[in-house]
Amino acid sequence: GLINLITISQQKTKPKPKPTKMSHSPTIINQTRYSIIVFQDRGVLYNKQVLRPGEAVNITKKETIGVVTPYCVHAVLGDERCLPSRRQSLKNFVSIAAIPAAFVAGTLATAYSAGTMTGPSAAMTSMVSGMVVKGVVIDATALAAGGVLASRAGVVAEMLIEKQPEIFMVKSQRYMPGKRFLVVKDGYEEGPLKIEPIAEKEFEKLSITSFKTPFDTIGDKIQFYFGGKKGENDGASEEARDEVVASN
């Protein structure tokens, strides 16, 4: 079912990197069963990263920028295929919702085309029951029989996000800059996606498979739009840089 396709196995545990004075401002840990995309929000959305289960992104004080302006954190179900480019607007609920919608649509389309969905999960059944898409009633029978074709996957995904947005995406409260540890939990079958702060002692007990650094930072945006100092990424397209990050 859908749940089996979007659940990713834990990787081997790797040692935590030695923290620096500017580390963990914040560090965001994925403790869900799914691939997620996280980013910071100050009206401009920046410091993005794709996290598999057990992975974390360590954002430094310099990357967060500032000492008095609060920020929020977004977490949405998604992977590299759903990453928005800098040219795409990410300033409202509808455009942010497009990320998990694209992820779910891609997953559904893969299931239908591969013939691997022999029956929907219980959560999927309850969410889609009674939906009518292009004249087809979406229910357990239609899904199991392949009645929902890949061409309808996008419409179904959008309807799911609209019906229960809280299980696919979440926005945190406002946080002031400084050392902070945030855990992303639950989502989809486990209920509403949550972002919760934890103490440093709790963080030290977690088994984290790998640490990542953010991309599309404020510095990256300035470089992209206005140019700047020459560096290793000069002349590289946005898509190429994102592909490099996604492959790490």
Side-chain angles (χ1 to χ4, degrees):
L2 179 63
I3 186 65
N4 295 324
L5 289 172
I6 63 178
T7 301
I8 302 174
S9 298
Q10 292 282 352
Q11 300 175 9
K12 291 183 179 180
T13 301
K14 297 179 182 179
K16 293 183 176 67
K18 292 182 180 179
T20 67
K21 208 171 185 179
M22 299 175 68
S23 292
H24 311 310
S25 300
T27 284
I28 306 168
I29 307 105
N30 180 7
Q31 284 200 310
T32 76
R33 297 169 58 197
Y34 318 104
S35 173
I36 62 172
I37 299 173
V38 298
F39 43 89
Q40 287 178 285
D41 179 358
R42 274 184 173 145
V44 172
L45 304 183
Y46 65 111
N47 286 345
K48 303 170 187 172
Q49 190 50 270
V50 178
L51 300 177
R52 265 58 183 195
E55 292 183 337
V57 57
N58 181 15
I59 302 173
T60 66
K61 183 177 179 181
K62 182 178 180 181
E63 290 163 335
T64 290
I65 298 180
V67 293
V68 297
T69 306
Y71 64 85
C72 296
V73 170
H74 292 262
V76 300
L77 261 63
D79 59 18
E80 290 85 356
R81 298 169 299 171
C82 316
L83 282 171
S85 71
R86 294 192 186 97
R87 296 183 181 90
Q88 294 173 314
S89 172
L90 270 179
K91 295 183 178 179
N92 57 55
F93 177 87
V94 174
S95 54
I96 292 174
I99 302 174
F103 183 54
V104 173
T107 303
L108 286 170
T110 299
Y112 305 146
S113 62
T116 56
M117 184 174 280
T118 56
S121 67
M124 186 68 171
T125 302
S126 63
M127 283 190 289
V128 304
S129 181
M131 287 184 178
V132 179
V133 179
K134 296 184 179 180
V136 175
V137 177
I138 309 301
D139 56 18
T141 302
L143 286 170
V148 184
L149 302 178
S151 61
R152 297 188 178 96
V155 179
V156 173
E158 289 176 5
M159 294 176 75
L160 290 178
I161 305 302
E162 184 177 354
K163 188 175 181 180
Q164 289 188 271
E166 70 278 1
I167 69 173
F168 295 102
M169 56 190 185
V170 63
K171 180 180 179 180
S172 76
Q173 65 184 65
R174 290 180 177 273
Y175 295 112
M176 295 301 295
K179 181 180 283 190
R180 197 174 305 279
F181 302 91
L182 302 174
V183 170
V184 184
K185 301 170 61 177
D186 299 335
Y188 192 59
E189 282 201 330
E190 289 72 43
L193 200 59
K194 300 173 185 173
I195 298 175
E196 297 179 351
I198 61 172
E200 187 168 0
K201 288 183 178 180
E202 293 179 68
F203 164 75
E204 292 295 339
K205 296 176 183 177
L206 297 178
S207 296
I208 296 176
T209 59
S210 65
F211 278 80
K212 294 182 174 182
T213 57
F215 60 96
D216 197 18
T217 64
I218 293 295
D220 291 336
K221 289 180 181 295
I222 293 172
Q223 173 70 30
F224 180 77
Y225 288 112
F226 304 108
K229 293 181 180 180
K230 296 291 182 182
E232 62 181 6
N233 286 330
D234 281 7
S237 69
E238 176 191 2
E239 291 75 16
R241 291 198 300 275
D242 283 355
E243 287 175 4
V244 170
V245 173
S247 65
N248 292 334

